[in-house]
Amino acid sequence: MPSPCIWIFATMLYGLLTYISKLIIYKKLKLHSPKPLKWIKGNELFIIASPDLWWAFRFKNRIYCTEPTLTTSNRRKFVITNNSFNLRLSIIFCAVTLAFVSAYPSLYLSKLLLCLAMIRFISRNIEITYAFIKDAFQPSSEKSATALKSDERIKLAAKSYVEIYFYSAPAYLILTKCCEPWAAISLSLNVGTLTNVGLAFSGSYKTPEANLVFFQVFTTLSLVVFSFAMYLARNEDK
């Protein structure tokens, strides 16, 4: 297990990297505010628990135009681009972490990657669950900040569902013996498809840390339920 110092450093590093990634997306889309905006309170509890949710919230609320419809359109672009970026990042990070940590488990960099994987696992699960449940319970009379259509929301949910497998696998290295990559991938697939969640509590996986799989279970269920709700809503609109 990584030392507390590595965990603290990894937490700070992940927060910084998350900020940089959101800033790159913000500038790439040229979403510059025409005037300074006041600090918008909200989600302060997620600064540590979910840097992904925190910075996404901050940057999305920085998007402002004098024309309300343009503000909504730009926020929609930011959400869609951020969703695609996270999927690509998770795939790359999964491949790098599984390969490096399994080959050099005792190196400092491997322990740092393992900490980053665990932090991303928790952070992205919280962000995805919060975002989709919030949308699912948003009153129909309330104006959407992004004006995403039902089919667009389903696409976002589908990409997030695929991403869950990729960011979960490197995090599950902490549950395997000798950091076995294929065991971590297998565990992610079993938990993500909800076919064999009990695998996390059998054999070599039988540790207190195994309860981490319920993060993935709850996030997956929220996505499935939300997607089904959006599918029904789309059919009603036809």
Side-chain angles (χ1 to χ4, degrees):
M1 284 289 291
S3 66
C5 290
I6 298 178
W7 279 108
I8 294 173
F9 176 67
T11 301
M12 296 173 62
L13 179 61
Y14 187 81
L16 176 61
L17 293 175
T18 303
Y19 165 76
I20 293 174
S21 66
K22 297 294 186 289
L23 181 62
I24 291 174
I25 295 173
Y26 187 83
K27 290 189 174 182
K28 180 182 179 181
L29 295 175
K30 298 180 180 180
L31 305 176
H32 303 294
S33 299
K35 62 180 181 179
L37 298 179
K38 294 181 179 180
W39 178 270
I40 300 177
K41 294 183 179 180
N43 298 333
E44 281 77 11
L45 293 175
F46 296 112
I47 295 176
I48 300 298
S50 180
D52 290 281
L53 174 59
W54 167 255
W55 286 116
F57 174 80
R58 297 255 69 84
F59 276 100
K60 189 175 74 172
N61 283 284
R62 280 283 301 172
I63 300 171
Y64 173 82
C65 298
T66 53
E67 177 62 38
T69 56
L70 188 56
T71 298
T72 302
S73 176
N74 285 339
R75 287 179 176 176
R76 171 178 162 274
K77 291 178 182 177
F78 179 82
V79 169
I80 293 175
T81 304
N82 185 54
N83 179 263
S84 298
F85 173 82
N86 274 313
L87 174 59
R88 292 193 294 267
L89 177 61
S90 291
I91 292 173
I92 295 172
F93 183 70
C94 174
V96 171
T97 303
L98 289 178
F100 195 88
V101 175
S102 60
Y104 310 101
S106 60
L107 291 184
Y108 176 85
L109 182 56
S110 294
K111 295 178 181 179
L112 179 61
L113 285 173
L114 189 60
C115 289
L116 290 173
M118 186 59 65
I119 294 169
R120 181 167 180 77
F121 172 76
I122 296 173
S123 178
R124 284 294 292 147
N125 275 324
I126 292 175
E127 182 189 15
I128 291 172
T129 303
Y130 176 89
F132 283 101
I133 289 183
K134 183 174 180 291
D135 275 351
F137 286 94
Q138 182 178 10
S140 57
S141 58
E142 185 177 329
K143 186 178 179 181
S144 173
T146 56
L148 287 164
K149 298 178 181 178
S150 295
D151 59 336
E152 291 176 325
R153 294 177 186 273
I154 292 175
K155 289 178 182 177
L156 292 177
K159 288 183 179 179
S160 294
Y161 179 75
V162 173
E163 185 197 352
I164 292 173
Y165 289 106
F166 287 101
Y167 69 62
S168 296
Y172 290 156
L173 284 172
I174 200 171
L175 303 180
T176 66
K177 287 185 177 180
C178 302
C179 295
E180 300 173 8
W182 293 113
I185 293 172
S186 176
L187 182 57
S188 177
L189 290 172
N190 276 277
V191 174
T193 55
L194 306 177
T195 55
N196 191 10
V197 179
L199 179 64
F201 301 92
S202 62
S204 59
Y205 301 117
K206 204 170 184 179
T207 61
E209 292 85 0
N211 289 288
L212 288 168
V213 300
F214 289 112
F215 274 98
Q216 184 181 359
V217 170
F218 190 73
T219 303
T220 301
L221 284 174
S222 68
L223 278 178
V224 171
V225 172
F226 175 80
S227 298
F228 182 65
M230 287 299 97
Y231 175 77
L232 293 178
R234 184 178 62 177
N235 286 339
E236 288 178 358
D237 293 337
K238 290 181 178 180

